[in-house]
Amino acid sequence: MIHVENLCKDFYSNKKYEGFGGAIKSLFSNEKIVKRAIDDVNFHILEGEIAGYIGLNGAGKSTTIKIMTGLMTPTSGKCIVNGLEPYKNRKMHTKNIGVVFGQRTQLWWDLPVSESFSILKRIYDIPDERFKQTFSELKEVLDLEEFYLTPVRNLSLGQRMRADLAAALLHNPKIIFLDEPTIGLDIIVKSKIRESIKRINELKKTTVLLTTHDLDDIEQLCNKIIIIDKGKIIYNGTLNEIKDKYAIYRKVIFQIKEQKNLNFNEIFKIDFKDLTFVETTNNLEIKFNRATIQVQELVNFVMQNYNVKDITIQEPQMEDIIKEIYSN
């Protein structure tokens, strides 16, 4: 569905010089500075996949999205979206994609949501019957009934985001690009948006490319993750693969009734790199490498040697995994 091969994008700017003399020199100099925003980017997204495209600010996410949506032309390389090169076939390409930007809207501010949808129906030349059917499905999935006749300016952020998502899906696009779709939303509304995206993906088999800084979005929605840093892809794989590769440590916390100060490294003959522990009067906290020791073995030993009141096993959070990748 989306094929990106050896994609590069360079931006050119005039070289600046310091001081007053430098300012004068800049006026007459033709010297250019080249900044490579994306550098030899390669990835593939299959039909029906929900892929997360993540990275720090300035990593190259927005530039890639602009090329895939046809807003920008690459310096070199190839980008094929649903069989088309977006920047060469913009009109045809836009009929097959939907775009939602978290801080922007494609709705008309002073018009009711219903009128915005009617305008979009004409823009995309959607037949009446298909529009009625699609809107009926979206109305149910996104729960639009309560604010369908309300002017856009009077909508809450969560309502506007649901309306924007519906607007991007009215013409039944095969691919939808979501840029920070849950930014600024509260927990309940975020959950509704995520569930809506899941249902739309299941109902329509819509391919979704999601860029976000909210790693809960990634964990709950995506089956594929692409991480970009300084214009280069540093990870491309499934959610399970990234956890298997980078989430190698687990943490077990025991609530205990008495302190015994046992040395777990000596007992299990494991180096401190693979097992660290902190014991206090009420708690025993053990962090261990799951490839070196089994959690069941650890729990059994502690249960046999301590009076345990409660056990908590903590899995690594996606945020910690991403930090680990960047630190390496």
Side-chain angles (χ1 to χ4, degrees), residues 55-237:
L56 302 174
N57 290 331
K61 300 191 304 297
S62 295
T63 302
T64 315
I65 296 295
K66 286 174 182 176
I67 291 172
M68 287 191 287
T69 54
L71 296 174
M72 194 175 284
T73 302
T75 304
S76 63
K78 187 179 287 187
C79 174
I80 305 294
V81 180
N82 194 33
L84 299 173
E85 290 186 83
Y87 33 88
K88 293 182 180 178
N89 304 274
R90 290 181 183 175
K91 190 173 181 179
M92 190 179 296
H93 177 62
T94 53
K95 290 182 177 181
N96 294 320
I97 66 167
V99 182
V100 176
F101 293 105
Q103 295 297 332
R104 301 180 184 91
T105 182
Q106 57 183 314
L107 306 171
W108 279 259
W109 194 247
D110 293 314
L111 296 180
V113 174
S114 58
E115 291 301 315
S116 289
F117 286 179
S118 295
I119 293 170
L120 289 168
K121 173 182 177 293
R122 294 188 182 95
I123 289 173
Y124 286 108
D125 195 22
I126 306 170
D128 291 341
E129 285 304 315
R130 200 178 83 189
F131 177 80
K132 287 177 183 177
Q133 182 183 349
T134 303
F135 176 68
S136 178
E137 292 169 353
L138 292 172
K139 203 173 185 180
E140 179 189 350
V141 172
L142 293 165
D143 194 19
L144 304 176
E145 187 69 50
E146 60 178 313
F147 57 85
Y148 178 55
L149 299 175
T150 305
V152 174
R153 66 173 181 275
N154 294 334
L155 299 181
S156 67
L157 182 57
Q159 289 172 333
R160 184 176 65 76
M161 189 56 64
R162 279 185 279 158
D164 263 316
L165 190 53
L169 292 163
L170 276 176
H171 57 297
N172 281 323
K174 295 181 179 179
I175 302 163
I176 184 165
F177 297 93
L178 303 177
D179 184 22
E180 301 285 357
T182 62
I183 190 169
L185 304 179
D186 61 48
I187 294 172
I188 295 172
V189 178
K190 278 184 180 183
S191 179
K192 285 184 179 179
I193 294 292
R194 289 168 185 155
E195 284 303 316
S196 299
I197 294 168
K198 280 183 187 176
R199 284 192 63 191
I200 289 161
N201 173 255
E202 290 167 2
L203 286 171
K204 304 283 189 178
K205 302 301 179 187
T206 306
T207 305
V208 180
L209 183 65
L210 168 71
T211 65
T212 181
H213 285 94
D214 190 330
L215 296 177
D216 285 339
D217 288 348
I218 297 294
E219 281 205 273
Q220 295 186 36
L221 289 173
C222 300
N223 43 36
K224 182 186 185 79
I225 302 175
I226 302 164
I227 304 176
I228 188 169
D229 183 42
K230 298 177 183 176
K232 290 181 176 290
I233 300 296
I234 60 172
Y235 180 81
N236 183 358

Side-chain angles (χ1 to χ4, degrees), residues 243-244 246-252 274 276 286-290 293 295 298 313-316:
K243 287 183 175 180
D244 288 343
Y246 292 99
I248 59 174
Y249 289 97
R250 299 287 188 274
K251 187 183 287 185
V252 187
D274 292 328
T276 57
I286 304 175
K287 184 179 179 182
F288 63 97
N289 185 334
R290 61 185 175 84
I293 187 170
V295 64
L298 199 58
I313 299 176
Q314 293 184 355
E315 294 288 331

